[in-house]
Amino acid sequence: MTRLLLANIFQTSRLRFLLGLATFSVVLLASCTNGQEFGSLTVRFVSIGSYEIYKMAGEHPLQFVSETTIKYNDRIMLSPGSYMILADCSSEIVNIYPGSNVVLVANQVNFIPLQPPTEEDKFSIQCVRSERTHLRQSLMNHFSLAVLAGTREMLVGMVPLKIDLPPTEPKESRVISHLLSYISVNSSGTEGAEDFFVSPVGGVTPFTENQHPGAKLFLIHGKYDLQLNGTALTVDLKEGESRAVIPGKFTVGTSPNANISRAEKVIGAPLYAELNGEHYLNLNTTYSVLPGTLDVRLSTSIHSKPFKISEGETLKINARNIVVDLNCQKDDWACLGNKKVLLFEKGKTGFFAVSQTDIPILFFEDDVSIAVEGSRNIKLSISSADDQIFEVGFLEVFPNPQHHGGVLTDLMRVETNGSRFTGASLDLAVDKPTKMPLIVGQYHLAEYTFTTSDGSRRKSTKFVNITPAATVKLDVQTFLSEKKMAILNQAAEIQQ
């Protein structure tokens, strides 16, 4: 005895709803032995193949009792009732009555590739096979479909396609063909070549397909965006057009003497390049990229720099590097990378790169000066040579403040000697010690004293020679107002 199986939404490619030993009796007219009257069904098709048929047992909720597969063009005898016919991307509900002879038509829809597809090539179709059951169908590399008459919609290679197949008299199967285009991105031979991605331009649904380098992605005509390793290219495919993009080879290189791996040990993050604001590239590694403009930002830089690459071009851009060395012990992690280093372009006040001491600082710019945190207004202009190392020493200033009526120290700072060094440090405290890093070189400690009686301002300087890893200590006489001196003395008494 046939048992009913309830089904509202079908999730598989075939509706095989069987419960117990339910079977579907397909009986030819000549084999009828129980006296029941039958109707017939024929689904015409120009080629060979088969479709699925389901006996419906109820509408609310939708119920099926059995299913089977029937060959196209075979006339079958069915007991009276309602049946759902499933073909490619299409379905139809038919009612069978005693003595009825129902004829449906499946049309052959061909998608013709320009070249015979290989196993690596890809062509996808997605569709709703039955609206009533929400049954979806996903086909891969099916270039010929049997579609029942009617208006059918499907996604062909991510692009919506409506196929209008109105019933005809006489009811004959037709052949409809669509010429396919294809996109491929040639393999560049780079190590670890990645898939390229294709999506339709202006599509209401964000579909994307990926494909291996050198393999074809078959599509219908239209505009498509290609993406590869953070680069993009828009292609307008005509019907039947083939487009094989030849990628370029792109490398961000550094000097072999630059200890790139040291950054990860010192600051806990590697040095890298960022391509077009969204894709990270390893240094000294060659990548396949699509032709166009490449906006490249080094991990130590704030702004990107544009570079152009053509199809098939090999482009290597080299980043310069410098190191500001604090002369720390090998494993002194409290010292290593302890100070920021800023890079400036000539004639610009804002810095374009920021990094740490003791690791390579990468940049593309030519006319550059550097400054170390703690003395950032003092800048050193550097040459165009690569692999430069600048050592750091320290200056420690010990003010000896006192009050002298009518005399005030209104400014104390480190000034440069006017050679490769420019600028001056920030103001130093006149009432407490200050220790600051300075790139090895010669400086002046300048003190400006203001005399209230005549309004004059006098400058006195002390020569300072900074050597690697050494600390120069200077005692300086400074003059405070009576009020500030009293506050200073009061604080000293509290500490005692």
Side-chain angles (χ1 to χ4, degrees):
M1 178 178 180
T2 304
R3 301 175 60 187
L4 297 182
L5 176 65
L6 177 65
N8 291 319
I9 299 178
F10 298 85
Q11 301 296 335
T12 59
S13 62
R14 302 186 65 199
L15 302 177
R16 299 184 177 277
F17 298 104
L18 300 176
L19 188 59
L21 299 176
T23 59
F24 179 70
S25 299
V26 179
V27 186
L28 296 177
L29 183 59
S31 65
C32 178
T33 60
N34 59 8
Q36 184 180 8
E37 294 188 33
F38 290 83
S40 69
L41 170 68
T42 305
V43 181
R44 293 176 179 169
F45 187 49
V46 296
S47 184
I48 60 174
S50 59
Y51 61 94
E52 297 171 47
I53 182 170
Y54 295 80
K55 178 69 179 291
M56 297 176 61
E59 286 279 347
H60 304 289
L62 192 61
Q63 298 175 358
F64 295 88
V65 293
S66 52
E67 63 83 22
T68 192
T69 300
I70 307 297
K71 291 182 179 180
Y72 287 114
N73 302 307
D74 282 355
R75 182 170 179 248
I76 62 169
M77 305 307 297
L78 302 171
S79 59
S82 295
Y83 296 82
M84 183 169 69
I85 313 302
L86 287 180
D88 292 329
C89 295
S90 57
S91 65
E92 193 76 38
I93 302 295
V94 297
N95 296 313
I96 300 297
Y97 302 99
S100 64
N101 184 20
V102 178
V103 178
L104 298 181
V105 173
N107 299 280
Q108 188 173 57
V109 179
N110 295 326
F111 296 95
I112 302 174
L114 294 171
Q115 298 179 8
T118 68
E119 291 184 359
E120 291 294 317
D121 297 338
K122 185 185 293 186
F123 172 61
S124 66
I125 297 175
Q126 299 180 57
C127 58
V128 176
R129 204 176 185 190
S130 169
E131 292 287 352
R132 297 189 65 179
T133 60
H134 306 288
L135 178 64
R136 299 189 63 83
Q137 189 173 24
S138 181
L139 302 170
M140 184 61 66
N141 287 357
H142 282 241
F143 293 90
S144 184
L145 308 181
V147 182
L148 296 173
T151 299
R152 311 297 178 179
E153 295 182 355
M154 58 190 74
L155 281 177
V156 180
M158 304 171 288
V159 174
L161 179 65
K162 180 183 289 187
I163 298 177
D164 193 13
L165 301 166
T168 60
E169 292 293 344
K171 294 182 177 180
E172 297 295 337
S173 179
R174 291 162 294 173
V175 177
I176 299 172
S177 297
H178 294 269
L179 187 60
L180 293 176
S181 308
Y182 77 75
I183 292 175
S184 66
V185 175
N186 293 356
S187 176
S188 64
T190 57
E191 184 177 353
E194 297 183 11
D195 287 1
F196 64 94
F197 295 84
V198 180
S199 56
V201 174
V204 293
T205 308
F207 287 103
T208 300
E209 288 272 11
N210 68 301
Q211 182 57 298
H212 304 312
K216 303 179 188 67
L217 184 63
F218 289 102
L219 304 162
I220 61 176
H221 63 89
K223 283 188 176 182
Y224 295 89
D225 284 331
L226 276 69
Q227 291 189 339
L228 175 65
N229 287 328
T231 59
L233 178 68
T234 299
V235 175
D236 189 357
L237 281 180
K238 303 296 187 292
E239 186 176 18
E241 181 183 4
S242 60
R243 180 73 160 87
V245 178
I246 305 173
K249 296 180 181 181
F250 179 65
T251 310
V252 180
T254 62
S255 165
N257 299 320
N259 190 355
I260 300 301
S261 62
R262 184 173 174 80
E264 195 162 2
K265 298 176 182 178
V266 173
I267 63 175
L271 299 176
Y272 60 88
E274 183 185 79
L275 181 57
N276 293 336
E278 60 181 16
H279 197 84
Y280 298 106
L281 307 181
N282 294 323
L283 301 170
N284 303 305
T285 302
T286 300
Y287 291 88
S288 298
V289 295
L290 298 172
T293 299
L294 310 177
D295 286 319
V296 184
R297 185 186 70 84
L298 297 168
S299 56
T300 51
S301 295
I302 296 175
H303 306 294
S304 62
K305 188 172 183 179
F307 299 89
K308 286 190 176 295
I309 189 168
S310 303
E311 280 197 67
E313 180 183 359
T314 297
L315 176 62
K316 182 176 182 180
I317 57 176
N318 292 308
R320 297 170 60 194
N321 80 91
I322 62 167
V323 176
V324 176
D325 187 1
L326 281 181
N327 288 288
C328 304
Q329 296 298 317
K330 181 180 179 181
D331 296 322
D332 186 356
W333 304 112
C335 174
L336 290 165
N338 188 44
K339 297 293 182 182
K340 290 183 179 180
V341 180
L342 307 176
L343 273 62
F344 299 80
E345 283 188 273
K346 185 177 181 180
K348 297 182 180 180
T349 56
F351 56 87
F352 71 86
V354 58
S355 187
Q356 311 294 124
T357 52
D358 307 300
I359 65 172
I361 305 168
L362 307 178
F363 57 98
F364 294 125
E365 288 72 11
D366 294 321
D367 202 340
V368 172
S369 59
I370 60 175
V372 181
E373 179 187 11
S375 58
R376 60 175 291 180
N377 284 353
I378 295 178
K379 301 173 186 175
L380 171 64
S381 296
I382 64 176
S383 67
S384 59
D386 209 357
D387 300 318
Q388 297 181 78
I389 297 177
F390 300 94
E391 295 184 285
V392 171
F394 293 87
L395 170 65
E396 194 164 9
V397 178
F398 297 91
N400 180 22
Q402 61 177 272
H403 172 65
H404 190 283
V407 180
L408 295 174
T409 300
D410 64 351
L411 174 64
M412 185 168 62
R413 66 185 185 185
V414 176
E415 297 179 346
T416 56
N417 60 11
S419 56
R420 292 175 59 195
F421 289 96
T422 59
S425 73
L426 301 178
D427 295 355
L428 304 183
V430 297
D431 57 354
K432 58 184 179 181
T434 300
K435 185 176 182 179
M436 62 186 301
L438 292 167
I439 296 175
V440 169
Q442 296 179 343
Y443 304 85
H444 292 96
L445 177 65
E447 181 183 2
Y448 294 83
T449 304
F450 179 72
T451 304
T452 58
S453 59
D454 58 6
S456 62
R457 196 170 189 245
R458 183 172 60 87
K459 175 183 177 182
S460 61
T461 61
K462 289 187 177 181
F463 176 77
V464 179
N465 185 38
I466 299 297
T467 57
T471 299
V472 176
K473 298 182 179 182
L474 290 180
D475 294 315
V476 181
Q477 184 71 59
T478 59
F479 301 94
L480 304 183
S481 66
E482 184 177 3
K483 181 179 179 180
K484 287 186 176 181
M485 195 69 202
I487 294 173
L488 189 63
N489 289 335
Q490 185 179 10
E493 290 175 0
I494 292 174
Q495 289 180 354
Q496 292 178 355

